[in-house]
Amino acid sequence: QVQLVQSGAEVKKPGSSVKVSCMSSGGTFNSYTISWVRQAPGQGLEWMGKIIPVLSVANYAQRFQGRVTITADTSTSTVYMELTSLRSEDTAVYYCARGGGRVWLDPWGQGTLVTVSS
Amino acid sequence: EIVLTQSPGTLSLSPGERATLSCRASQRVSSNYLAWYQQKPGQAPRLLMTGASSRATGIPDRFSGSGSGTDFTLTISRLEPEDFAVYYCQQYGSSPPLTFGGGTKVEIK
């Protein structure tokens, strides 16, 4: 059974970058897609992008193009999401989840709170 | 990009009552690839339904999904105390991007 475990909470200054990790256990890492979804405080869910680890091919939501990079390390079954030029509006819980493309999202990681504050 | 609109925004009901949640898409959802998720405070979303009407593993049968094309419904036949939460629909037929509805909060009346 696939489980996704994310890195811990981060506090960042405006203008800086954050890199969140998502480690997979169980299942066959190379055979599925991993997506990143974020949720601002009290708000809904927003898909950011996805990667197919075996191909290292990533797709991003248009509004994050140029600011987000999703990468994968197949040797450690870990996917990373880096967001640059952080602003206060990027304060959110960031989730990784298996799926994307034409597949639903399941399971989800536990979430990583990123706080952007001066 | 497919825009999903959920209604109502909030549903106030009592345990034992029936809940009907709506999700309307701005264009046809390919292959009815629509999922529903439940989210409780401080938790990650939990998958409930896939393909508009198939329950995910372990989901009780009081949850049912229906609809096709642009109009979809999640029904909870008899609300249990643990069902009070926020529910999101999501389309995965046209990706990227995956898109979510804005959510419906089911609260205790």
Side-chain angles (χ1 to χ4, degrees):
Chain A
Q1 186 168 347
V2 174
Q3 285 191 310
L4 302 176
V5 178
Q6 299 181 221
S7 49
E10 303 260 15
V11 179
K12 294 292 182 179
K13 300 284 189 189
S16 67
S17 301
V18 68
K19 193 169 187 177
V20 182
S21 68
C22 170
M23 187 172 71
S24 172
S25 62
T28 307
F29 180 68
N30 286 348
S31 68
Y32 47 80
T33 300
I34 297 287
S35 286
W36 287 90
V37 175
R38 79 175 187 180
Q39 185 172 38
Q43 302 302 307
L45 302 167
E46 181 176 32
W47 183 79
M48 301 178 67
K50 66 178 176 70
I51 190 167
I52 304 172
V54 66
L55 301 176
S56 276
V57 171
N59 298 102
Y60 305 112
Q62 191 162 12
R63 65 166 294 187
F64 296 104
Q65 285 276 3
R67 273 212 311 145
V68 67
T69 303
I70 299 174
T71 56
D73 181 345
T74 55
S75 68
T76 60
S77 299
T78 302
V79 171
Y80 300 90
M81 186 283 299
E82 183 173 26
L83 189 62
T84 62
S85 302
L86 290 169
R87 35 212 188 223
S88 58
E89 310 90 88
D90 294 317
T91 294
V93 176
Y94 290 77
Y95 294 101
C96 63
R98 182 180 64 169
R102 287 169 66 82
V103 180
W104 56 83
L105 300 177
D106 182 64
W108 295 60
Q110 83 275 19
T112 297
L113 175 62
V114 175
T115 303
V116 183
S117 174
S118 55
Chain B
E1 174 176 325
I2 295 179
V3 176
L4 300 177
T5 302
Q6 290 188 241
S7 61
T10 303
L11 205 46
S12 298
L13 295 167
S14 301
E17 290 194 293
R18 182 185 189 90
T20 303
L21 289 67
S22 172
C23 176
R24 178 162 291 178
S26 60
Q27 54 189 282
R28 189 182 67 85
V29 176
S30 175
S31 303
N32 292 328
Y33 277 1
L34 187 109
W36 289 93
Y37 301 86
Q38 177 193 68
Q39 188 179 34
K40 296 179 181 179
Q43 296 184 14
R46 173 196 182 197
L47 178 68
L48 296 177
M49 312 288 301
T50 65
S53 59
S54 297
R55 276 188 300 276
T57 303
I59 302 303
D61 60 8
R62 64 179 181 273
F63 290 90
S64 63
S66 63
S68 65
T70 60
D71 288 297
F72 300 89
T73 300
L74 176 71
T75 301
I76 310 171
S77 58
R78 292 177 320 278
L79 283 164
E80 296 288 341
E82 61 269 26
D83 299 336
F84 292 92
V86 180
Y87 293 83
Y88 294 96
C89 60
Q90 177 236 328
Q91 69 81 24
Y92 53 97
S94 301
S95 174
L98 272 70
T99 51
F100 292 89
T104 291
K105 181 179 182 180
V106 179
E107 65 175 22
I108 299 177
K109 186 174 181 180

